[in-house]
Amino acid sequence: MAGLLDRRLWVVTGKGGVGKSTVSAALALASARAGRRTLVCEVNTQERVSRFLGHPPVGPEVSRLEENLWAVDMRPQEAMREYALMTLRFEALYKAVFENRVIRYFLRFIPSLQELVLLGKVLWHVRETRADGQPAWDTVVLDAPATGHAISFLRVPQVLLDTVPPGPLHKEARAMRDLLVDPGLTAAVLVSLPEELPVNETLELAEALRGQVRVQPTAVVLNATSPLRFEEGELRTLAPVPGLSDAAREQHAGALRSREARARLESGVGVPVHEVPRLFSERFGRAQVEAVAGHLAALVGRWA
Amino acid sequence: MSGAGEPGSGVLARALAARRVVVCVGAGGVGKTTVSASLALEAALKGRESLVCTIDPAKRLANALGLSALGNVEARIPDPVWSDAGLTPRAPLHAMMLDMKRTWDELIARYAPADVRERIFANRFYQALSSALAGSQEYIAMEKLWELRSSRGYPLIVLDTPPTAHALDFLDAPNRVLDFLDNDAARWLLTPALRAGKMGLKFFNLGGSFVMKQLSRLTGTETLQELANFMLAMSALNEDFRERARAVKALLRDTQTAFVLVTGAAVDRQDEAIHFHSILTANGMAPVAVVVNRVHTAPTAEDFDRARALPSPLQEKVLRTLEERATLAARDALGIAELQRQVGNTPLVQVPRFEQDVHDVRALAETARYLVGEASVSV
């Protein structure tokens, strides 16, 4: 497997609470370390990625975090404004239109328009070029939002293609959809946990990505796994000592769940599963992200 | 850890005994469904008939509650489920899974005149509204709650809510729907069309005003036209529908409604819970308690002593396992302390992490003992 380094857009998806932002931060770090100009995009969040990497929040402007690594937190208001300005070209016109109550009302109810402009901004960065015509970014990491099903954000172009009649919005949606489904450009990384519900959701997400978004999942990251540590005989030895037995059985149950989750994901999604062992630390920060990046080296590919 | 002397115990027991509605809110992946089911189960055990309305239960939990084959209707938990768990409830427990799309369809079917109904169902904006519009899931959960609350006689309803990353999406949901129907701008825009409609014209033109022309450069004329047609159809919904959206909004602020905020314990996830808490509080819906779910308990000094007496290599394996647990417990304690600082007087109720996922009635009852303060997490 070639790894992620031959793709430009790395979409990291998964439900809330599975460690999506951690994996996004780790992958962005790995990309930057491999010498690639890397932009990590968060969408209307609490800005975890920059915080995890030990930097102050970046806000809605693209900001440099460290060597080869930039970050941006995209917000619907700003993204909508940029989109409108690109379409309408003049600030005065923008104001006349967007500061009109009727228009604002309309825009709220055009389904998923907010998501569309946010995703549109991400994809604009993917297409952004420098003066010499080379792509401005070697890697764009998208920490996809987890509102409801993670799929709804990525499905936005398709939803719009199905919803809005031909016109400018339709054309925009088609261009975005085409970028997303280009397997030479886009990689989709699904983050999961070794528990029943998250694994079910990952399987559904993979199917929805293939069926509804027509994006092939590239890899699964199984986060917070536990190693098989105890043998059955050892667990029986510990059985009379409640405190120790409970601790050992819980560890063992976690290990079995990890193994089962891996097997279900491998057969169900049909892509490589990369494990990130559960980290034991009181606080979560830069050191932990570095550790996660180390575990994901094989997924990224070349490791500088 | 949660307030000296009064560890939040009893606050949920009182809510279960006195309130008519308990709404569990919080980010995804924190065990909100389990907490909701445990609360309703506890009420039934104590003699208050209750209904838990869940959104997306784990399959084993759904099976445990006998929910496997049900769509959008309530079912009573059958007696064998209780007796198999060795429990004797003093009142019936009901459960249901909420089907979002179906609830929207039922709502339209009830309130739209027959000739308009099919136009709404066929409109592409409706299909998107019922599944894709931000806040529509949250709204429909509240809407179902209102229906259950007003048309069935359950003394207590516990509502599990969709995982919401942004607290405002949740609170804003009834406003969005009300706005859709009641907005002055919409009325102004649609008035000519409504008149035209009454005069028997099938279509109307959105007009050639400057702003509309500019807007259509963004969206295309047909998009605007179709959206306007949809709004026109929706505007035919009778006053009952609007009344209802207002009632849903009022129900959330009712004194008989209690909010319970559910969160995990780790410090790096507390930002969401703290944000949720402040938004709820600012909107006059302060949660009665914050449930901190899946708290790791620390091993005792005796545990370590006993481990050191074990032969190698078992000794090293057990010591390592205990050290890992101690780290997780310390991490959770940090998170809980931070949470308590941020939520002020709201009591925290801690539920320990169980060895197995909570997915049967027995485990729900065990969870409930912690929720109502009959058992507490030792730190």
Side-chain angles (χ1 to χ4, degrees), chain A residues 3-244:
Chain A
L4 295 175
L5 289 178
D6 59 343
R7 318 281 181 91
R8 198 181 314 147
L9 173 61
W10 304 358
V11 180
V12 182
T13 73
K15 254 207 147 148
V18 298
K20 202 162 44 65
S21 296
T22 307
V23 170
S24 299
L27 290 177
L29 194 61
S31 168
R33 292 264 172 87
R36 291 159 65 102
R37 279 173 61 89
T38 303
L39 174 67
V40 53
C41 302
E42 289 182 271
V43 179
N44 203 23
T45 60
Q46 322 262 356
E47 292 207 39
R48 290 218 177 77
V49 170
S50 52
R51 201 151 36 94
F52 283 173
L53 290 171
H55 299 286
V58 290
E61 303 288 331
V62 172
S63 312
R64 187 176 182 275
L65 296 182
E66 55 192 82
E67 194 183 358
N68 283 331
L69 186 57
W70 284 258
V72 60
D73 180 36
M74 296 177 175
R75 293 170 193 165
Q77 290 270 309
E78 278 92 359
M80 185 77 96
R81 190 165 184 279
E82 282 177 33
Y83 172 72
L85 281 175
M86 266 191 269
T87 316
L88 296 175
R89 289 190 185 85
F90 299 107
E91 181 94 19
L93 202 54
Y94 167 84
K95 280 190 175 149
V97 172
F98 274 77
E99 289 174 8
N100 181 296
R101 285 167 62 225
V102 180
I103 301 297
R104 282 220 302 265
Y105 171 78
F106 249 112
L107 291 180
R108 268 182 81 180
F109 290 106
I110 292 180
S112 314
L113 188 61
Q114 278 198 352
E115 288 86 349
L116 179 85
V117 294
L118 286 169
L119 187 58
K121 194 161 146 56
V122 176
L123 296 176
W124 183 80
H125 285 304
V126 172
R127 281 184 292 191
E128 196 180 354
T129 50
R130 288 182 298 210
D132 61 3
Q134 288 300 303
W137 306 104
D138 301 312
T139 307
V140 175
V141 179
L142 169 61
D143 183 1
T147 41
H149 283 286
I151 201 74
S152 63
F153 183 70
L154 296 172
R155 235 185 74 203
V156 163
Q158 191 59 51
V159 166
L160 275 166
L161 283 177
D162 297 341
T163 307
V164 304
L169 205 54
H170 194 91
K171 223 172 105 186
E172 184 77 5
R174 180 185 303 281
M176 286 167 55
R177 206 260 328 261
D178 292 348
L179 265 183
L180 267 183
V181 303
D182 180 351
L185 193 74
T186 304
V189 176
L190 281 57
V191 186
S192 193
L193 284 178
E195 284 164 36
E196 181 199 349
L197 208 50
V199 170
N200 290 348
E201 278 155 6
T202 306
L203 296 177
E204 283 166 21
L205 182 62
E207 198 181 306
L209 274 177
R210 288 199 168 104
Q212 298 173 32
V213 191
R214 291 198 285 139
V215 168
Q216 293 299 321
T218 312
V220 170
V221 172
L222 183 56
N223 194 16
T225 58
S226 304
L228 216 43
R229 179 178 294 164
F230 295 99
E231 287 158 25
E232 295 292 340
E234 293 176 322
L235 292 171
R236 277 195 298 276
T237 309
L238 293 172
V241 199
L244 306 191

Side-chain angles (χ1 to χ4, degrees), chain A residues 229-231 233-239 241-252 280, chain B residues 299-327:
Chain A
R229 179 178 294 164
F230 295 99
E231 287 158 25
E234 293 176 322
L235 292 171
R236 277 195 298 276
T237 309
L238 293 172
V241 199
L244 306 191
S245 178
D246 289 351
R249 286 217 322 268
E250 188 181 321
Q251 198 285 334
H252 191 63
F280 295 93
Chain B
T300 62
E302 293 80 58
D303 289 337
F304 279 100
D305 288 343
R306 287 192 196 105
R308 284 189 203 99
L310 292 166
S312 215
L314 185 55
Q315 182 190 130
E316 288 75 22
K317 291 181 181 181
V318 173
L319 279 175
R320 181 157 187 201
T321 306
L322 293 178
E323 277 152 17
E324 288 171 353
R325 281 176 72 117
T327 305

Side-chain angles (χ1 to χ4, degrees), chain B residues 21-25 32 36 51-55 98 138 140-146 148 157-162 170 252 260:
Chain B
V21 171
V22 172
V23 183
C24 295
V25 295
K32 220 167 12 176
S36 306
L51 165 72
V52 56
C53 183
T54 72
I55 305 295
L98 184 61
E138 286 84 353
I140 209 64
M142 292 181 230
E143 157 65 33
K144 190 74 192 178
L145 169 69
W146 190 85
L148 293 165
I157 299 170
V158 181
L159 179 72
D160 175 24
T161 53
F170 180 83
L252 294 182
V260 174

Side-chain angles (χ1 to χ4, degrees), chain B residues 95-308:
Chain B
M96 69 171 289
M97 269 192 279
L98 184 61
D99 180 332
M100 303 280 174
K101 179 77 171 78
R102 202 127 139 203
T103 306
W104 268 111
D105 289 353
E106 286 168 5
L107 196 66
I108 298 299
R110 186 174 310 119
Y111 287 114
D115 56 321
V116 175
R117 198 175 302 156
E118 291 312 312
R119 278 205 340 253
I120 294 179
F121 285 149
N123 190 289
R124 286 183 286 189
F125 279 100
Y126 172 70
Q127 288 157 16
L129 173 81
S130 55
S131 58
L133 179 66
S136 77
Q137 288 207 333
E138 286 84 353
Y139 177 73
I140 209 64
M142 292 181 230
E143 157 65 33
K144 190 74 192 178
L145 169 69
W146 190 85
E147 186 203 316
L148 293 165
R149 173 80 172 80
S150 53
S151 66
R152 315 280 211 283
Y154 298 111
L156 175 69
I157 299 170
V158 181
L159 179 72
D160 175 24
T161 53
T164 304
H166 298 281
L168 273 173
D169 280 353
F170 180 83
L171 290 171
D172 205 30
N175 291 333
R176 280 180 188 232
V177 174
L178 265 184
D179 220 27
F180 191 83
L181 298 167
D182 265 0
N183 189 287
D184 285 344
R187 210 170 293 138
W188 173 81
L189 194 74
L190 290 173
T191 299
L194 290 169
R195 286 210 199 98
K198 278 183 192 130
M199 288 188 292
L201 295 175
K202 285 226 162 90
F203 300 100
F204 73 99
N205 195 326
L206 264 174
S209 79
F210 171 74
V211 282
M212 294 315 278
K213 272 190 194 139
Q214 295 306 327
L215 181 60
S216 67
R217 282 175 63 179
L218 232 70
T219 64
T221 317
E222 287 178 62
T223 302
L224 280 187
Q225 185 70 50
E226 182 141 358
L227 179 58
N229 287 340
F230 174 56
M231 287 162 61
L232 194 59
M234 289 292 280
S235 72
L237 295 184
N238 58 32
E239 186 56 31
D240 290 346
F241 187 94
R242 292 154 209 255
E243 202 40 62
R244 198 158 156 139
R246 277 184 216 107
V248 168
K249 204 171 148 185
L251 178 60
L252 294 182
R253 288 188 169 79
D254 195 297
T255 51
Q256 297 199 317
T257 301
F259 280 83
V260 174
L261 178 58
V262 186
T263 181
V267 69
D268 51 285
R269 299 279 306 177
Q270 294 307 352
D271 48 355
E272 285 168 332
I274 290 163
H275 181 62
F276 223 125
H277 181 270
S278 68
I279 298 269
L280 283 171
T281 305
N283 283 276
M285 286 172 262
V288 294
V290 180
V291 171
V292 188
N293 201 16
R294 300 180 189 142
V295 178
H296 292 90
T297 50
T300 62
E302 293 80 58
D303 289 337
F304 279 100
D305 288 343
R306 287 192 196 105
R308 284 189 203 99

